[in-house]
Amino acid sequence: PGLEEVDAGGYRRRIVDRRGEHHWINVAAEQNALVLTVPEDPNIDLADVIARVRRVFDLDADSSVVDAQLARDPRLAEVVRSSPGLRVPGAWDGFETAVRAVLGQQVSVDRATLLADA
């Protein structure tokens, strides 16, 4: 809470600009595309925000190549056919990935969520 949110409306993320001020960005699915909304502020590093959003949503992967490889596994083939292009979301940065991995290995999901909120 207060950092990122995911709901039916999309993905919302709090970012910090060059002055240390906080803003919210939003990524929403519209037809076959993702729409990124960023506040108009010259102190927001737009190139960095775009690169991180691309990483979170794995937008630089060639989904047809990934799907072809995953479909070779009989346990995954039906899922790939019914939901092509489906991905597990990434993380905003390496530090967050590391913290989530450590918390996930050490405690229950409920406890990890409480620790992450602290």
Side-chain angles (χ1 to χ4, degrees):
L3 181 60
E4 66 181 0
E5 302 170 359
V6 178
D7 60 25
Y11 172 79
R12 285 176 33 94
R13 172 77 191 201
R14 187 178 66 185
I15 62 169
V16 180
D17 69 19
R18 294 179 184 105
R19 296 175 310 217
E21 294 185 15
H22 295 252
H23 305 272
W24 284 92
I25 64 165
N26 187 64
V27 180
E30 291 186 13
Q31 297 174 343
N32 290 327
L34 294 177
V35 176
L36 171 62
T37 304
V38 180
E40 290 185 36
D41 187 316
N43 292 297
I44 293 174
D45 185 346
L46 188 56
D48 181 61
V49 170
I50 291 170
R52 290 174 185 267
V53 168
R54 293 189 70 77
R55 182 172 52 239
V56 167
F57 290 95
D58 199 22
L59 297 179
D60 293 321
D62 183 338
S63 63
S64 63
V65 172
V66 174
D67 288 347
Q69 289 297 313
L70 293 175
R72 294 174 58 189
D73 185 319
R75 296 167 293 182
L76 299 175
E78 181 55 38
V79 174
V80 172
R81 272 192 293 280
S82 65
S83 300
L86 186 63
R87 296 285 174 270
V88 174
W92 192 254
D93 65 31
F95 178 75
E96 283 185 22
T97 302
V99 169
R100 289 177 185 197
V102 169
L103 287 175
Q105 293 298 313
Q106 300 301 315
V107 295
S108 69
V109 172
D110 289 338
R111 182 71 179 137
T113 301
L114 289 172
L115 289 172
D117 291 344

